Amino acid sequence: MAILYALVARGSVVLSEFSATSTNASSIAKQILEKLPGKDVDSHVSYSQDRYVFHVKRTDGLTVLCMADETAGRSIPFAFLEEIHQRFVRTYGRAIHSAQAYSMNDEFSRVLSQQMEYYSNDPNADRVSRIKGEMTQVRNVMIENIDKVLDRGERLELLVDKTANMQGNTFRFRKQARRFRTVMWWRNVKLTIALILVLSVVVYIAMAFVCHGPSLPSCFKLTLKLFDFRSQKQ
């Protein structure tokens, strides 16, 4: 999967989180929340550690964070964060300002899981990300090393179970293979229909030539004579 971990927080209070693999990203994410400057300042920032990037979107005091593979770029993770922010605010409204830690986790962690799966594996997510990724703030986000926000002495080593990435790659490969088979099947169907139409036209032209005209007059007269002959014999 491209997106492996995500959380929603008010300040440093985590309201919901989900991890798609075995990782200590949660601990590092909480460190980042503690160190982010200006709790009421809206911001879009990204911090890299090893081959992964922590993307952060803070709006109106609500912080949405995700950890993604560096190959995911910026547009898909930030489109994901924008979607999660809108869904969370739409679902909980003013309750966000007084909610206790993890009080929305039972319900909203499922939403995080579903959207992580969608933005990581669904081809349509790339088109969505291109639309949402055109935001000026996203284009201007610089990916900085995590040492920018965490001191080397307090920074934890990021541990990620590689099995999740392998499973995500396998899923994408199978999906692409199914899509390719579907495309080829439709192409064969269209080709078969085209051949049938061509053969029908060729047969019609041949019959029109033999039957002396496009309305096949000679053939119809012969058919009527044969029909009358059989009727008289009966």
Side-chain angles (χ1 to χ4, degrees):
M1 290 180 69
I3 302 174
L4 300 172
Y5 170 81
L7 68 72
V8 183
R10 184 191 69 248
S12 59
V13 178
V14 178
L15 303 176
S16 181
E17 70 177 343
F18 180 80
S19 179
T21 185
S22 177
T23 176
N24 65 337
S26 176
S27 299
I28 298 174
K30 290 170 185 175
Q31 284 185 312
I32 293 175
L33 291 178
E34 294 284 352
K35 296 291 183 177
L36 284 175
K39 293 185 178 180
D40 296 323
V41 178
D42 293 355
S43 61
H44 295 74
V45 293
S46 296
Y47 300 107
S48 65
Q49 183 171 0
D50 300 329
R51 297 186 302 102
Y52 301 93
V53 183
F54 288 86
H55 301 279
V56 185
K57 170 185 167 59
R58 173 179 285 168
T59 306
D60 298 329
L62 185 67
T63 302
V64 188
L65 176 151
C66 72
M67 184 190 78
D69 192 289
E70 64 181 0
T71 58
R74 292 178 299 174
S75 60
I76 286 180
F78 274 104
F80 165 78
L81 294 179
E82 177 69 21
E83 178 71 21
I84 293 301
H85 181 274
Q86 291 179 3
R87 284 174 178 256
F88 199 82
V89 171
R90 192 164 57 241
T91 302
Y92 299 109
R94 294 183 179 181
I96 296 171
H97 302 295
S98 58
Q100 300 297 313
Y102 292 98
S103 58
M104 285 91 167
N105 199 54
D106 287 345
E107 180 181 14
F108 202 77
S109 61
R110 292 193 292 271
V111 177
L112 290 174
S113 173
Q114 292 166 359
Q115 292 304 306
M116 286 166 65
E117 177 71 25
Y118 173 73
Y119 278 90
S120 294
N121 298 312
D122 197 305
N124 292 324
D126 187 50
R127 185 169 64 250
V128 172
S129 72
R130 289 175 187 173
I131 297 172
K132 295 185 177 180
E134 288 301 315
M135 297 180 298
T136 303
Q137 23 310 35
V138 172
R139 290 201 302 271
N140 293 336
V141 170
M142 298 295 292
I143 298 179
E144 301 173 326
N145 192 280
I146 201 168
D147 292 335
K148 182 83 174 180
V149 67
L150 299 179
D151 296 331
R152 288 183 180 273
E154 63 183 356
R155 178 165 63 84
L156 299 174
E157 180 185 359
L158 179 60
L159 304 174
V160 178
D161 183 1
K162 301 299 190 298
T163 305
N165 281 340
M166 293 174 63
Q167 291 175 341
N169 291 335
T170 301
F171 177 83
R172 283 193 294 275
F173 175 78
R174 289 177 178 172
K175 207 161 191 177
Q176 290 170 354
R178 284 198 300 270
R179 191 164 64 249
F180 177 76
R181 285 197 297 269
T182 302
V183 170
M184 293 304 297
W185 184 83
W186 276 112
R187 186 174 296 175
N188 290 334
V189 169
K190 291 176 182 177
L191 181 60
T192 301
I193 293 173
L195 288 173
I196 291 173
L197 289 174
V198 170
L199 288 174
S200 299
V201 171
V202 170
V203 170
Y204 171 76
I205 292 173
M207 289 183 66
F209 179 77
V210 172
C211 298
H212 304 96
S215 60
L216 312 179
S218 300
C219 295
F220 279 122
K221 287 180 181 178
L222 179 60
T223 302
L224 289 173
K225 287 180 180 180
L226 289 173
F227 181 77
D228 291 339
F229 179 74
R230 288 182 179 175
S231 298
Q232 291 174 1
K233 288 188 67 176
Q234 289 175 357

